[in-house]
Amino acid sequence: MGKPPNLYAFGDINALAHSLRTFVLQCQSAGFERHGVFKVAVSGGSLPQTLAKALLHQGNGSIEDTVDFQKWEIFFADERAVPLDHDDSNYKLLKEELLDKIPQDRARPTVHPVDVKFLDNVQEMADQYQDELMRSFAAKHSVKIPIFDLLLLGCGPDGHTCSLFPNHELLREANAWVAAIEDSPKPPPKRITLTLPVVTHGIKIAFVATGEGKTSILKEILDTDEGRSLPCGLVNEGGGERVSWFTDSQAVAGVGFPRRGSL
């Protein structure tokens, strides 16, 4: 690994959301400059609620502080093989926490959910979602790997991210953009996930991890050699300085990894 990831710690979730907004808008601006759109992958958990807190207020009215959802393309870093209105669906979570709360007078992002026709065939669901990525990022033969402008990820208590779990064979997947998992150690067992190379090739990669429940795993990921082999640690290794951790003071209590003062 070259330069290490960036660790930011904030006193509370409101301060974290304020800086996360600034970060996301910087990524949005770079995406617009690069190709006229903003291609982002999001995970589930508590992330959509934090995103809503960061993105839904009006800002100061400047272009730099305006979320232009009309030019956003939102993909899912992972998804469960369940109907879109199921409580385990990451799409439902994002819809309820963020999408449904966008004011009516503001444009909506383009959202790419999974195709629920393939709930009984998770490999086909993964293949279909990879096809969806191909349509957006150009044909696979001309683009070796999709490069997201930003991936917004969580960190599980075991160090998993997306649906990439510790010691799972999917961590070694090098060719597929999207992979199926049928034996997730966390229910529901059937899911699809972006693969590690796709995650680590993002222009920017952000983890959001808050609360004292994350303290021990963040200490392992950031402070120990063993933590480097956990999925979140592998993202740190592969992404280096393109990775930023947005945490609160509870989550990093006792963590020795150096923190950055500001964006």
Side-chain angles (χ1 to χ4, degrees):
M1 185 173 69
K3 292 185 178 179
N6 307 291
L7 174 61
Y8 302 100
F10 303 93
D12 57 39
I13 192 67
N14 291 324
L16 185 156
H18 179 78
S19 282
L20 183 62
R21 176 188 178 89
T22 299
F23 178 82
V24 170
L25 289 174
Q26 289 171 351
C27 295
Q28 173 190 266
S29 178
F32 290 171
E33 190 173 325
R34 189 176 300 113
H35 44 213
V37 294
F38 183 43
K39 298 188 180 188
V40 57
V42 300
S43 58
S46 60
L47 178 66
Q49 186 175 27
T50 306
L51 270 183
K53 189 181 289 287
L55 300 178
L56 290 182
H57 70 79
Q58 283 291 347
N60 62 23
S62 68
I63 293 176
E64 295 79 11
D65 196 34
T66 298
V67 182
D68 189 356
F69 280 125
Q70 186 172 0
K71 297 179 183 177
W72 282 45
E73 281 196 56
I74 300 178
F75 294 85
F76 291 88
D78 69 320
E79 183 57 287
R80 292 83 180 275
V82 296
L84 297 181
D85 59 356
H86 192 282
D87 285 345
D88 286 331
S89 165
N90 281 341
Y91 170 81
K92 180 187 180 187
L93 185 63
L94 185 74
K95 182 176 183 295
E96 291 180 348
E97 294 290 353
L98 177 63
L99 303 176
D100 288 350
K101 295 177 181 178
I102 298 173
Q104 291 298 316
D105 61 346
R106 293 171 69 181
R108 292 293 194 272
T110 299
V111 181
H112 298 269
V114 296
D115 190 335
V116 294
K117 293 200 302 284
F118 303 103
L119 292 180
D120 294 329
N121 186 338
V122 71
Q123 183 59 58
E124 185 66 24
M125 178 184 282
D127 292 344
Q128 291 293 324
Y129 207 66
Q130 179 164 296
D131 289 345
E132 187 79 3
L133 287 179
M134 287 184 194
R135 284 189 285 273
S136 179
F137 288 89
K140 193 169 190 286
H141 65 266
S142 61
V143 175
K144 184 177 180 182
I145 204 157
I147 308 251
F148 282 96
D149 297 309
L150 173 63
L151 296 105
L152 289 158
L153 307 176
C155 169
D158 58 353
H160 85 266
T161 191
C162 306
S163 282
L164 299 168
F165 291 91
N167 303 313
H168 196 280
E169 63 184 6
L170 279 189
L171 293 174
R172 297 188 293 276
E173 175 58 56
N175 296 314
W177 294 358
V178 182
I181 176 170
E182 301 197 45
D183 58 351
S184 165
K186 179 183 177 184
K190 294 185 177 182
R191 304 157 173 243
I192 66 168
T193 182
L194 297 180
T195 57
L196 189 61
V198 173
V199 174
T200 58
H201 276 79
I203 301 291
K204 295 289 184 182
I205 306 150
F207 286 101
V208 178
T210 59
E212 59 185 11
K214 297 291 170 69
T215 305
S216 61
I217 192 61
L218 288 189
K219 188 168 181 58
E220 183 174 358
I221 291 166
L222 295 169
D223 287 351
T224 72
D225 289 339
E226 294 78 13
R228 293 180 182 177
S229 65
L230 294 172
C232 288
L234 293 171
V235 175
N236 282 346
E237 291 287 305
E241 64 182 330
R242 291 178 289 110
V243 179
S244 294
W245 286 81
F246 289 82
T247 70
D248 62 6
S249 52
Q250 285 186 311
V252 291
V255 171
F257 192 90
R259 308 172 193 182
R260 293 181 64 103
S262 60
L263 291 176

